[in-house]
Amino acid sequence: MNIDTNLHFNIFINSLFIGACMGVFYDFLRSLRISFKHNNILVSIEDIVYFTIYGYVVFTFFLSINAGAVILFPFIGFFLGEIIYFLICSKTIIFIITKTIDIIIKLICIVAKPIIFLVKKILQFFYKYLLQPIYRILYNVKVNSGIKLKNFYIKIINRHTKKKKSKRKKKRDKKFEKKLQN
């Protein structure tokens, strides 16, 4: 082989390899779509990102081999590299990547459960020992005094207590409202 043929052969082999690598990258996106539900907008965004990266890789490849001059046979190499990759090992790679993503998700859930439990307990403590006494005080002030801002306190209490009032409590509140109005 002369130098020119050897160079073209290396360019073709490299373009086959780049096509196969871009096939692996697309399979990664496909396995993300399998693992997580995607709507059409997100799929379109992923495809745009894929083709943008693909265009960047092709552009830098041409810049590196021939100072940016576009030759036809590397495009054939990219296409053949992806076709060969998809025919030979795409299904196994998707299976491996999908199982890896599932394992990572399970590990994250295992690690996150104690953290979520701890945060929940801290928030329950905060509500029980800090906010609840304040709401009780505000409720007692509303019921036992004639402060003009009573509607403000009632709104605060009603917002944070989602229980329905019993008939007896409603009657009691009406009595106190009548006393406050007099």
Side-chain angles (χ1 to χ4, degrees):
M1 284 193 185
N2 61 13
I3 295 173
D4 221 20
T5 310
N6 192 16
L7 178 67
H8 289 295
F9 180 74
N10 285 337
I11 290 171
F12 186 74
I13 295 297
N14 286 336
S15 62
L16 282 173
F17 179 72
I18 289 173
C21 288
M22 292 310 293
V24 171
F25 180 64
Y26 192 74
D27 276 347
F28 176 73
L29 292 176
R30 286 172 60 190
S31 55
L32 282 178
R33 292 176 191 167
I34 291 170
S35 297
F36 305 107
K37 292 182 181 180
H38 286 66
N39 58 9
N40 292 336
I41 295 171
L42 195 56
V43 170
S44 299
I45 290 171
E46 287 176 351
D47 286 341
I48 289 170
V49 167
Y50 171 75
F51 285 113
T52 303
I53 291 172
Y54 201 106
Y56 177 75
V57 168
V58 168
F59 177 72
T60 55
F61 179 73
F62 281 124
L63 276 179
S64 67
I65 62 162
N66 205 17
V70 179
I71 312 167
L72 180 63
F73 69 88
F75 285 110
I76 296 170
F78 296 140
F79 182 70
L80 283 177
E82 282 197 45
I83 295 293
I84 291 169
Y85 166 76
F86 284 124
L87 290 177
I88 293 176
C89 58
S90 177
K91 290 181 182 179
T92 56
I93 296 295
I94 288 176
F95 178 77
I96 291 169
I97 293 173
T98 305
K99 289 300 177 186
T100 305
I101 290 172
D102 290 342
I103 290 170
I104 290 171
I105 290 171
K106 286 179 183 176
L107 288 174
I108 289 173
C109 288
I110 289 170
V111 169
K113 275 185 181 179
I115 295 171
I116 291 171
F117 177 77
L118 186 66
V119 169
K120 220 179 205 181
K121 288 297 179 184
I122 290 171
L123 290 176
Q124 285 175 350
F125 175 81
F126 179 74
Y127 176 74
K128 186 175 182 180
Y129 293 107
L130 295 176
L131 291 179
Q132 233 176 12
I134 293 172
Y135 294 139
R136 283 188 195 133
I137 291 170
L138 292 176
Y139 184 76
N140 289 334
V141 166
K142 177 202 76 119
V143 170
N144 296 329
S145 68
I147 296 177
K148 298 285 184 185
L149 299 174
K150 65 177 177 138
N151 290 334
F152 173 73
Y153 295 126
I154 291 172
K155 288 178 185 176
I156 290 175
I157 292 168
N158 288 340
R159 189 180 320 147
H160 295 288
T161 56
K162 296 181 181 178
K163 297 177 186 174
K164 292 185 176 181
K165 290 184 178 180
S166 66
K167 291 180 181 179
R168 188 173 63 183
K169 287 184 180 179
K170 287 180 183 178
K171 286 181 183 178
R172 185 185 71 196
D173 288 344
K174 285 182 182 179
K175 286 180 185 178
F176 283 110
E177 286 178 15
K178 286 179 183 178
K179 284 182 182 178
L180 291 175
Q181 289 174 355
N182 293 332

